[in-house]
Amino acid sequence: MSYELQALVGMLELMAVAAAEVPAARVVPLAQGLALIPVTAAVLSALQGDAAVHKPGGGAGFGWHSDGFELRLAAWSKAGPIACVEAEYFGGVGTQRAAVWSDGRVVLGPLTSDESEPWPAEGTPISRALRWLGGYVEPGRVDEFGSVGLGAHRSTAGWATG
């Protein structure tokens, strides 16, 4: 079974403000006061805008966004922290990436976990980003990823149409 996600995550209020600037964006509430915006092709195109200058290897460690995308994240992060997260798994093996912007700059990451690496003791990149945003491990859960509900859909498209 596969899992893939490309999303922005932050407090629900901040995600609502961000989505209001991007007509293709859909805000999906998560647990613990968080929400995500699935980064679909339409959202990505709108976020990249006129400043779509791709960096070698992608911006902030991601292969799919540009300087324009990062400028928008930096602007939104002045109102509160916002994370860019990515995961891709198949058969339990895969990768994660995460970075958090706050006060107009990257404050965590980019963090990467490749399929050949064990998860560090401090948690996966996405769980660490969620922790930065205020997420926590709920009783009976393994990590922040599960606690906020990121397992509810198996794909970015699933979150977008959800």
Side-chain angles (χ1 to χ4, degrees):
M1 189 175 264
S2 66
Y3 180 93
E4 66 87 15
L5 176 66
Q6 292 178 338
L8 302 177
V9 181
M11 296 304 293
L12 179 60
E13 300 81 15
L14 177 58
M15 295 293 89
V17 169
E21 294 181 20
V22 182
R26 176 177 187 259
V27 176
V28 182
L30 299 169
Q32 303 179 3
L34 297 173
L36 69 73
I37 294 174
V39 181
T40 61
V43 169
L44 184 60
S45 177
L47 287 174
Q48 289 177 337
D50 295 334
V53 178
H54 289 277
K55 297 179 178 181
F62 298 85
W64 47 273
H65 67 73
S66 67
D67 286 345
F69 186 96
E70 287 193 42
L71 291 172
R72 192 73 73 97
L73 290 178
W76 288 331
S77 77
K78 291 178 181 177
I82 186 169
C84 182
V85 300
E86 175 182 78
E88 189 171 354
Y89 285 88
F90 185 79
V93 177
T95 60
Q96 281 191 19
R97 285 183 190 73
V100 178
W101 281 255
S102 185
D103 294 322
R105 62 186 177 84
V106 175
V107 295
L108 179 69
L111 305 172
T112 301
S113 175
D114 288 319
E115 60 188 60
S116 59
E117 300 173 352
W119 287 348
E122 60 271 12
T124 66
I126 293 175
S127 285
R128 291 174 64 191
L130 292 170
R131 199 174 311 130
W132 184 272
L133 300 173
Y136 56 90
V137 181
E138 293 180 338
R141 296 289 186 163
V142 173
D143 59 12
E144 294 83 357
F145 187 100
S147 292
V148 303
L150 287 178
H153 297 282
R154 309 259 344 138
S155 69
T156 301
W159 285 102
T161 60

